[in-house]
Amino acid sequence: MANKAPKILVFSTEKISDPAIDLAGLLKMHYPPTVYSIPLRCSSSVKSRWIMHAFEQGFDGVFIAADGTDCSYGESCVDKTAAIIAQTHEMMKAKGIEPARLKMAALCSVCAEPFVKHMKSFYEALSKTPA
Amino acid sequence: MKNKIGVYVCHCGGNISDVVDVNKVREEAEKIGGVAIAKHTIFACADSSQKEIAEDIKNLGLDGIVVASCSPKLHLFTFRAVAERAGLNPYNYVHANIREQSSWAHSDDKKGATEKAIALVRSAVERVSHSVAMEPVSISAKNITTVVGAGVAGMKAAIELADMGSQVYLIEKAHYVGGRTSQWGELFMPGETGKSVVSYLYQEVNKRQNINLFTGAELVSKKGSVGNFEIEVKITPRGIKKDADTSGLEKAIQVCPVEVSDGFNFGITKRKALMNYHPGQFPEIASIDAATCTQCGKCAEVSEAVDLNLEEERITLQTGSLMITTGFDPYEPEKSEFGYGDYDNVITLPQLERYLELNGQDLVVNGKKIRSMAYIYCVGSRQPEGENKYCSRYCCTSAVHSAIKVREKVPEMTVYHINRGIRTYGKQEVLYEKSSKNGDIYIQFNEDTFPEVSRNGKHTVVKVNDILTAGKELEIEPDLVVLVTGMIPRKDNAIGESLKIPRGRDKFYNEIHPKLRPVETTIDGVLIAGVCQGPKNITESVKSSLAAAAKTYSLLKREEITLEPIMATVDSEKCEACDKCTTACPFGAFEFIEENGKKVARVIESNCKGCGMCLPVCPTDAIELSGYTNTEIEGMIDALTESDY
Amino acid sequence: MENEVLTYDALVVGGGIAGEETALNLAKMDYKVLLVEKELSIGGKMILLSKVFPTLDCAACITTPKVSETARHPNITIFTGSEVKGIEKKGERNFEARILRNPRYVKEDACTGCQECEPVCPVVVKDQYQFDLVGRKAVFVPFSIANPRIAAIDIENCSLCGACEKACPSDAIDFSQEPEEKTYQFKSVVVATGYKLFDPIKMPRYGYGKHKNIITSMQMERELAPTRPFNTILRPGDGKMPDNLAYVLCTGSRDHTVGNPICSQVCCMYSIKQAQLLMGALPMADVTIYYLHIRSFGKGFNEFYETAKGMGVEFVKGKIGKISEKENGNLILRYDDIETGQVKEVEHDMVVLSVGILANDEIGQVFKTQKLEFDDYRYVKQIDELKRPAMTNIDGVFVAGAASGPMDIPDSILSAGSASSEAASYLAEVE
């Protein structure tokens, strides 16, 4: 396990944060290839059980690329997503998973640079944390 | 589970294949259970490749396809159409993004990019194997629009909707149409007055058989959803019998003992409870203001046209959509704000507008001939302390224009414009130029030093630090102070509350997106236009109402609304009717029904937008979103972790 | 082109945001629309912008869905690289228009936009879609989010070497294409030809074109856009990252000396927006905006202006007299400081001219039978602005967006909405 690259699952959103991840590619900004994204309709639709499932299946970190205030379904999604994260953090603690393995940040549709920065620092942090 | 899945891996010229080993991806795809065929292609989007995919679907009887190429934002619809043409349900196609999210992002790591592409294809195959065919949901809709508010925006929208081919109910709370425009005199457009615009629109409304105008009418409740709303409308009678002899009405108005402040003239005159609203009013008949009428009966004694039975009626209307054009209220200054309410020569811009209309060839306020005046701008707008942070948009031009009108009446008038930067944007700039040439004096202050209005004996004194003359403190003693008041949302927000229309930071009704969907709200089928959405001048209001008319008409014209089938569903066995989903849903898409003697939540398809906000809040995990089910998402996660690269 | 349709309900001239919105509205009402765009891609000026005020969402992100919806709609036919040569009104709801389709020298159905042709092309010219900041080849895909996203050959600059023909994997290059002019019938016409940008060369005292580190606001848009040429903000003179930028508002607006007395309505806001974006892109940089009046009048605009002040954007009420260049490429701005009443000089290392917008009056020549009337500023005249804002002097011809006067994107979209409604009413009278 020690030498293995950490795997990160990103829950992005189809209309906002996934385009930012695409843009990072378009601009040839590199980040680790063990970062995978599953685009959802809105970040506040992510279920805790999916996040927990990802950890059980071997993902080292999960990142919620939230919509922020740009969300086309209304601004309430920010608070709702934060509430899901808080709830999942509790579940993680109960299972002995470091809460720092689940992170969230709002990404706008052109936030390619912030996305890459987040991935790099999350990847680094996860590399240092023993599984 | 599907067993005849086709996988197409795209080279994208070299955009993908220069980094990702596409043949390896293809080989790995071929090994996945359920995959019947895996190919690679130079350009999946090219016509020839599209034909090849379609032929494979037909010839091999494929039950699902995966295209691994560029971002789905580019070609999702292309391949959905390919599937459809070949007879495969478009939702049985899944896209894997191996360009933007693999070959391009990881061009520094060919092995890593290839492994990631393989994992992305695996997860797409997993997803497609669980995918279900979905058909767009179609609901019948009534080609009827109810326009709430018969000001210029509402009347114009009604006319255009009727001409395009809709049935229109136009409901107006007051007994007269025209809204705020009817209170305005000469307008910026040469030859136009508030009255001429309102009168033209009213006649056009009346000409059209397919517009039903209700005055004294208020929307009180709404049921149903887009295409099929049912609304209840409260109608306050105007107190005048139809087709009766109205010759005695003038006398009846005289005998009415009630005297209240006249809202039409912004309180500078008085009116009766039985009244003519203003000369040039439409409909032209007098009315009784039920709120102030004491039912004394004196008017009925002199005119048989009066009907003192003022019981309100309720009617129910069926409508496909609702367009809200309820306008604004002018900001009413606080007591003592720049001397308002303290000194009788401190008035507001709307009041000045009424004085100009009522005065004839001079400007006389409270018996005094005005020979010098000072406008103070941004009253109630751009407040550093108060809650109105916004600019009211119309007022700079309107004040400048009123100063030009004043000078036409009284050429020797001295006019000061005490402003915070004149915003006569666009072509309105010429008015500012004209007023400057007229000799108007412009004085500018900033938000640190507001002007002060005080009284020195008989004189009203305005003190201001003028930044145009290096902050020099000036003292002006004008005959009249005009507070250039902005626009605020209607104080009476009953309609907003009953329809649950979201409001922005500025408290005006909020659109979904200022550019993409500027006249739509989060409630499907409820549109907003004119100033209720934010400050605008008349032209801008009319444009926005026509834009809303275009949206409504294209929505309802076919009398059928098609919705994307991505929707939430409730497993009624698991549902405990806890109410959490109804709270989470921003679109009111949940209702409770009885099923097998049990109360359960149900999704109202016409309201569901498929955002999924309800999914995580359900304590029993009873809600799933089609295309994003637990099986699909967790299956994708499993596929992504299959390799231990 | 065998079954080419020659009759449409509406001709929409101009494929910018106003034209697209109008075309889509009409198409959704089941009217058949022909959209004619003279550029190689639809999307107009908006698709080339960075982020847009006051929401700061990226212009491309919000316009590309509309662009692709327009391109995909079954009731809309799009001709890019095409010009309307003449419109004749033959009768009520009967217009005849001659339309010239310029060849791309690339087969539209065959080209996949792979750009394999670009590296082999030996010709380099200025890229008009990057506002001359960088170069492009003679064969080129206009820009990465163009629609259609396919190549075209700029035949005027092409050396006819044939390298692209050899490199093209899908045999899409076709030098045999010829211009094609045909006549089409329409029931109505919508003019959505947008605006032109003021060319600051006309103001020699600013030294644009002479002083290297002065750019226009549109060039700055490109430097800030997600599809930007340099991937960072550079001053063109020496490629240095600027750290003290100045904006000169009202360049070419509110100025009788250049023949444009009116306010362009958008420059204050886009400059404030660019200033905000620059503060993000260059955290150490200072940005000063020289203005006469800040006109942040629209919904959420004044709040946006206040945000910029809060972020540290400097606002100076001053009129710029002359800009001169120092040896190191820095610029000296001589200005009349209105708040102190003094003439001052100040140094900046990059200057952005907030250029105004001007009428695009070329459409005037197109109408042959009845002249299309313009207003005093050469915008298409709205003959009944208050009651029928999209109506022109020719019955059946409507105007949408900035063709009728300066306006921002939200206003253009509303104006397009009004043109759609009025055109639809006009069309409905026939039925």
Side-chain angles (χ1 to χ4, degrees):
Chain A
M1 204 68 192
N3 294 330
K4 247 187 68 184
K7 270 191 181 183
I8 299 172
L9 178 62
V10 179
F11 280 110
S12 58
T13 68
E14 286 168 0
K15 294 203 177 102
I16 307 196
S17 59
D18 211 55
I21 303 175
D22 280 355
L23 186 62
L26 184 74
L27 301 173
K28 309 277 158 73
M29 293 171 153
H30 301 307
Y31 55 91
T34 48
V35 173
Y36 303 89
S37 79
I38 296 183
L40 302 174
R41 304 268 287 178
C42 166
S43 46
S44 65
S45 73
V46 67
K47 288 187 183 178
S48 297
R49 64 174 275 178
W50 301 341
I51 301 170
M52 296 306 289
H53 186 81
F55 287 123
E56 280 158 25
Q57 291 298 308
F59 271 104
D60 302 279
V62 175
F63 185 88
I64 313 291
D67 280 345
T69 47
D70 296 356
C71 180
S72 52
Y73 304 109
E75 291 185 12
S76 69
C77 101
V78 182
D79 297 338
K80 286 174 182 160
T81 312
I84 299 161
I85 303 285
Q87 184 192 322
T88 316
H89 275 152
E90 292 308 312
M91 294 165 81
M92 291 167 70
K93 278 185 213 157
K95 293 248 175 182
I97 305 168
E98 197 54 43
R101 291 181 181 276
L102 169 61
K103 291 189 83 164
M104 159 186 167
L107 286 183
C108 74
S109 54
V110 286
C111 290
E113 282 178 43
F115 169 74
V116 171
K117 273 186 204 152
H118 279 300
M119 286 307 111
K120 285 186 173 163
S121 66
F122 196 21
Y123 184 86
E124 239 167 70
L126 291 169
S127 307
K128 284 177 200 149
T129 325
Chain B
M1 291 292 277
K2 300 188 168 47
N3 54 16
K4 282 196 173 168
I5 298 167
V7 179
Y8 300 86
V9 186
C10 181
H11 291 230
C12 193
N15 281 311
I16 294 171
S17 54
D18 288 351
V19 178
V20 168
D21 181 345
V22 286
N23 198 40
K24 190 167 176 215
V25 178
R26 192 202 66 78
E27 280 169 14
E28 289 299 320
E30 208 165 35
K31 293 180 197 161
I32 308 169
V35 172
I37 185 167
K39 291 182 170 175
H40 57 84
T41 158
I42 308 285
F43 290 108
C45 59
D47 248 13
S48 54
S49 306
Q50 291 191 28
K51 278 183 199 132
E52 190 183 330
I53 298 171
E55 273 160 29
D56 285 353
I57 295 172
K58 282 187 230 161
N59 299 342
L60 306 172
L62 298 181
D63 54 7
I65 54 167
V66 167
V67 179
S69 64
C70 54
S71 164
K73 283 113 217 153
L74 300 168
H75 282 304
L76 184 75
F77 291 99
T78 313
F79 295 112
R80 273 193 185 165
V82 171
E84 212 158 14
R85 282 202 298 273
L88 182 70
N89 185 280
Y91 292 92
N92 287 331
Y93 137 72
V94 169
H95 205 91
N97 179 354
I98 62 166
R99 190 177 76 175
E100 279 81 349
Q101 296 194 8
S102 187
S103 71
W104 280 355
H106 313 301
S107 53
D108 57 337
D109 179 356
K110 291 187 181 184
K111 184 163 183 289
T114 304
E115 288 298 329
K116 180 171 177 179
I118 293 169
L120 291 173
V121 170
R122 278 198 191 118
S123 89
V125 170
E126 181 68 23
R127 186 176 200 174
V128 86
S129 73
H130 297 293
S131 68
V132 285
M134 290 190 276
E135 297 300 335
V137 178
S138 154
I139 52 169
S140 75
K142 295 187 181 68
N143 187 5
I144 306 173
T145 299
T146 301
V147 179
V148 183
V152 283
M155 285 198 283
K156 185 64 205 178
I159 294 164
E160 221 64 31
L161 278 165
D163 287 355
M164 283 190 277
S166 277
Q167 173 69 38
V168 184
Y169 296 120
L170 176 57
I171 65 178
E172 167 56 51
K173 195 168 109 182
H175 286 300
Y176 303 96
V177 302
R180 296 291 175 200
T181 302
S182 62
Q183 291 170 288
W184 228 255
E186 230 177 275
L187 303 171
F188 170 26
M189 297 313 134
E192 293 277 20
T193 62
K195 208 197 268 180
S196 72
V197 172
V198 169
S199 134
Y200 164 82
L201 292 175
Y202 178 71
Q203 281 157 19
E204 292 295 312
V205 164
N206 266 349
K207 269 188 211 163
R208 285 163 177 78
Q209 296 291 322
N210 48 350
I211 303 177
N212 275 316
L213 169 68
F214 299 91
T215 52
E218 255 180 286
L219 188 151
V220 285
S221 71
K222 176 211 85 175
K223 281 195 292 196
S225 53
V226 58
N228 300 284
F229 290 112
E230 182 180 295
I231 54 168
E232 197 185 358
V233 178
K234 179 178 91 180
I235 297 181
T236 313
R238 72 188 305 127
I240 308 295
K241 290 177 198 142
K242 265 185 199 152
D243 309 320
D245 173 14
T246 54
S247 58
L249 273 178
E250 282 307 317
K251 183 102 195 288
I253 292 171
Q254 281 169 23
V255 302
C256 175
V258 178
E259 242 190 19
V260 289
S261 162
D262 184 355
F264 181 81
N265 287 325
F266 299 104
I268 64 173
T269 57
K270 300 267 189 240
R271 66 154 171 85
K272 302 294 183 71
L274 169 61
M275 59 169 165
N276 278 311
Y277 192 45
H278 61 99
Q281 66 194 18
F282 294 106
E284 287 161 311
I285 317 152
S287 64
I288 295 176
D289 172 25
T292 48
C293 173
T294 58
Q295 303 253 0
C296 70
K298 291 212 168 87
C299 52
E301 286 166 18
V302 294
S303 169
E304 60 186 52
V306 173
D307 177 0
L308 281 174
N309 175 18
L310 299 175
E311 288 288 300
E312 61 187 42
E313 291 170 59
R314 301 252 167 170
I315 57 169
T316 303
L317 301 172
Q318 309 293 324
T319 187
S321 71
L322 284 157
M323 191 191 299
I324 311 305
T325 53
T326 47
F328 69 101
D329 281 328
Y331 174 78
E332 168 91 27
E334 311 264 337
K335 164 89 175 138
S336 301
E337 187 174 359
F338 301 110
Y340 186 75
D342 297 338
Y343 317 126
D344 64 359
N345 59 345
V346 177
I347 64 169
T348 66
L349 179 64
Q351 287 172 333
L352 173 69
E353 198 60 39
R354 294 313 306 155
Y355 277 115
L356 289 174
E357 278 301 290
L358 297 171
N359 264 190
Q361 270 316 303
D362 200 342
L363 179 59
V364 181
V365 173
N366 295 320
K368 186 170 179 195
K369 281 192 177 187
I370 305 299
R371 289 299 171 265
S372 65
M373 57 195 290
Y375 290 92
I376 298 178
Y377 284 67
C378 297
V379 177
S381 306
R382 299 175 66 192
Q383 295 173 323
E385 305 295 333
E387 60 178 43
N388 300 344
K389 302 289 177 210
Y390 58 89
C391 163
S392 287
R393 186 167 184 154
Y394 94 104
C395 11
C396 277
T397 305
S398 190
V400 171
H401 182 234
S402 89
I404 292 170
K405 292 195 279 188
V406 166
R407 191 173 299 281
E408 280 164 12
K409 289 186 186 223
V410 188
E412 69 271 31
M413 186 76 79
T414 306
V415 184
Y416 301 94
H417 296 266
I418 304 174
N419 67 84
R420 283 175 70 189
I422 293 291
R423 293 181 167 179
T424 40
Y425 55 90
K427 298 176 199 167
Q428 301 170 117
E429 182 75 10
V430 294
L431 289 177
Y432 176 38
E433 230 180 74
K434 182 170 180 194
S435 129
S436 303
K437 278 191 190 142
N438 277 349
D440 286 11
I441 300 152
Y442 283 83
I443 294 167
Q444 193 177 336
F445 64 98
N446 58 35
E447 70 246 32
D448 313 323
T449 50
F450 275 87
E452 281 168 26
V453 179
S454 58
R455 195 71 151 224
N456 179 7
K458 277 181 146 180
H459 300 286
T460 302
V461 183
V462 183
K463 257 192 232 167
V464 59
N465 288 318
D466 181 21
I467 63 170
L468 305 180
T469 50
K472 200 164 98 185
E473 188 175 282
L474 303 175
E475 279 196 14
I476 301 161
E477 293 186 6
D479 295 340
L480 183 69
V481 175
V482 180
L483 305 182
V484 180
T485 49
M487 292 172 165
I488 59 168
R490 285 265 182 201
K491 286 174 210 127
D492 174 1
N493 183 37
I495 179 100
E497 276 160 23
S498 78
L499 299 177
K500 299 195 178 62
I501 306 173
R503 299 206 278 174
R505 278 184 298 180
D506 53 14
K507 303 276 168 53
F508 286 96
Y509 295 145
N510 222 13
E511 69 286 348
I512 292 182
H513 190 283
K515 297 182 183 70
L516 294 177
R517 300 169 77 182
V519 291
E520 292 160 85
T521 68
T522 49
I523 310 144
D524 266 354
V526 176
L527 294 100
I528 47 176
V531 183
C532 71
Q533 181 265 351
K536 288 175 192 64
N537 65 24
I538 296 173
T539 308
E540 291 156 355
S541 285
V542 166
K543 280 184 187 172
S544 91
S545 82
L546 290 178
K551 289 288 168 223
T552 313
Y553 185 64
S554 54
L555 180 73
L556 301 175
K557 183 192 178 184
R558 293 182 196 148
E559 303 193 351
E560 185 183 82
I561 296 173
T562 311
L563 306 166
E564 210 190 349
I566 297 170
M567 283 178 190
T569 51
V570 180
D571 180 344
S572 26
E573 286 197 2
K574 285 190 192 165
C575 177
E576 290 173 354
C578 70
D579 204 33
K580 290 223 163 76
C581 50
T582 43
T583 320
C585 178
F587 310 108
F590 285 95
E591 62 183 0
F592 288 101
I593 54 158
E594 284 274 316
E595 202 177 282
N596 305 327
K598 185 185 160 195
K599 185 184 166 198
V600 289
R602 196 186 74 107
V603 175
I604 306 164
E605 286 195 336
S606 50
N607 285 7
C608 179
K609 293 217 180 19
C611 68
M613 284 194 195
C614 51
L615 308 182
V617 302
C618 179
T620 60
D621 199 17
I623 312 176
E624 295 253 43
L625 184 66
S626 45
Y628 303 79
T629 59
N630 290 336
T631 327
E632 282 162 298
I633 303 287
E634 289 172 4
M636 288 171 80
I637 293 171
D638 294 348
L640 290 175
T641 48
E642 201 171 297
S643 122
D644 39 73
Y645 172 76
Chain C
M1 290 289 156
E2 282 159 32
N3 298 315
E4 202 197 349
V5 182
L6 295 169
T7 307
Y8 295 85
D9 293 307
L11 166 66
V12 176
V13 191
I17 184 68
E20 285 156 19
E21 180 75 13
T22 310
L24 271 175
N25 281 334
L26 289 171
K28 285 178 184 171
M29 298 172 191
D30 298 328
Y31 290 115
K32 301 273 181 228
V33 181
L34 178 68
L35 179 66
V36 177
E37 167 58 52
K38 72 173 189 306
E39 295 294 337
L40 294 167
S41 164
I42 57 168
K45 298 231 179 27
M46 181 179 174
I47 202 167
L48 300 172
L49 302 180
S50 57
K51 296 190 177 187
V52 280
F53 60 81
T55 44
L56 281 189
D57 29 25
C58 112
C61 312
I62 54 177
T63 198
T64 43
K66 204 147 253 180
V67 163
S68 34
E69 199 185 348
T70 311
R72 259 198 336 264
H73 203 288
N75 291 337
I76 302 175
T77 305
I78 301 174
F79 291 170
T80 50
S82 302
E83 293 161 61
V84 180
K85 300 305 274 186
I87 299 177
E88 289 183 38
K89 186 165 181 177
K90 298 279 178 185
E92 267 319 288
R93 297 172 194 86
N94 180 3
F95 291 89
E96 202 170 274
R98 276 183 301 115
I99 295 166
L100 171 70
R101 303 188 68 186
N102 292 308
R104 271 185 115 93
Y105 303 104
V106 170
K107 291 178 208 150
E108 295 199 13
D109 336 337
C111 176
T112 62
C114 73
Q115 293 173 287
E116 295 287 316
C117 51
E118 289 185 10
V120 302
C121 175
V123 180
V124 180
V125 291
K126 279 183 178 173
D127 184 348
Q128 70 269 40
Y129 296 105
Q130 298 285 10
F131 292 86
D132 298 352
L133 285 172
V134 288
R136 61 152 172 86
K137 295 302 180 71
V139 57
F140 65 117
V141 169
F143 45 93
S144 61
I145 48 174
N147 191 309
R149 195 186 173 282
I150 51 175
I153 293 174
D154 165 7
I155 206 76
E156 276 172 36
N157 289 301
C158 173
S159 66
L160 298 173
C161 71
C164 52
E165 214 169 352
K166 290 192 200 92
C168 178
S170 48
D171 291 326
I173 306 290
D174 178 5
F175 284 105
S176 72
Q177 289 182 357
E178 303 234 3
E180 197 185 347
E181 194 171 300
K182 266 196 202 153
T183 302
Y184 300 81
Q185 315 290 328
F186 303 92
K187 291 184 187 137
S188 64
V189 179
V190 179
V191 176
T193 43
Y195 60 92
K196 287 181 182 167
L197 286 166
F198 174 75
D199 181 359
I201 288 280
K202 292 181 195 145
M203 291 180 80
R205 65 175 207 267
Y206 287 172
Y208 176 79
K210 200 169 84 194
H211 308 333
K212 293 195 181 61
N213 296 321
I214 301 185
I215 63 170
T216 67
S217 43
M218 199 60 184
Q219 290 175 315
M220 182 55 95
E221 282 296 327
R222 293 308 307 153
E223 290 210 17
L224 287 162
T227 50
R228 57 192 187 237
F230 311 131
N231 239 337
T232 180
I233 311 300
L234 299 177
R235 54 178 213 172
D238 49 13
K240 184 176 148 288
M241 277 175 27
D243 53 30
N244 184 13
L245 298 98
Y247 276 82
V248 179
L249 283 179
C250 298
T251 304
S253 309
R254 304 178 68 191
D255 187 346
H256 282 279
T257 63
V258 296
N260 186 30
I262 63 174
C263 158
S264 292
Q265 213 158 310
V266 293
C267 324
C268 285
M269 286 303 290
Y270 74 58
S271 302
I272 294 172
K273 170 204 72 185
Q274 291 188 357
Q276 287 197 18
L277 296 177
L278 285 166
M279 303 290 264
L282 307 167
M284 302 308 288
D286 294 320
V287 183
T288 308
I289 294 180
Y290 295 88
Y291 71 97
L292 296 175
H293 298 100
I294 291 292
R295 293 185 164 164
S296 48
F297 55 82
K299 185 162 178 169
F301 291 10
N302 202 55
E303 295 87 328
F304 191 77
Y305 168 42
E306 293 297 333
T307 305
K309 285 201 270 185
M311 286 168 79
V313 177
E314 201 63 43
F315 287 86
V316 175
K317 193 171 170 76
K319 203 169 165 55
I320 305 294
K322 191 174 178 346
I323 303 173
S324 45
E325 192 179 36
K326 281 181 54 176
E327 244 172 55
N328 65 1
N330 285 2
L331 301 144
I332 306 291
L333 278 68
R334 195 178 158 82
Y335 72 101
D336 191 359
D337 186 72
I338 296 172
E339 295 206 22
T340 60
Q342 291 167 338
V343 174
K344 290 186 177 170
E345 283 197 348
V346 64
E347 182 170 338
H348 288 278
D349 60 3
M350 188 165 175
V351 170
V352 182
L353 301 177
S354 298
V355 290
I357 67 186
L358 302 174
N360 178 10
D361 59 4
E362 286 160 22
I363 191 74
Q365 309 151 17
V366 168
F367 287 89
K368 303 295 181 191
T369 34
Q370 193 182 348
K371 252 182 111 123
L372 185 68
E373 279 179 24
F374 291 127
D375 68 12
D376 296 345
Y377 321 103
R378 306 287 299 160
Y379 288 98
V380 177
K381 188 171 182 177
Q382 296 161 275
I383 61 159
D384 189 1
E385 191 179 333
L386 290 174
K387 303 189 292 285
R388 280 169 291 184
M391 193 160 99
T392 69
N393 66 304
I394 307 175
D395 200 26
V397 177
F398 302 91
V399 61
S404 66
M407 60 181 78
D408 55 29
I409 298 164
D411 281 352
S412 291
I413 289 169
L414 294 179
S415 156
S418 73
S420 335
S421 270
E422 290 177 63
S425 302
Y426 178 79
L427 289 167
E429 279 180 58
V430 215
E431 285 170 1

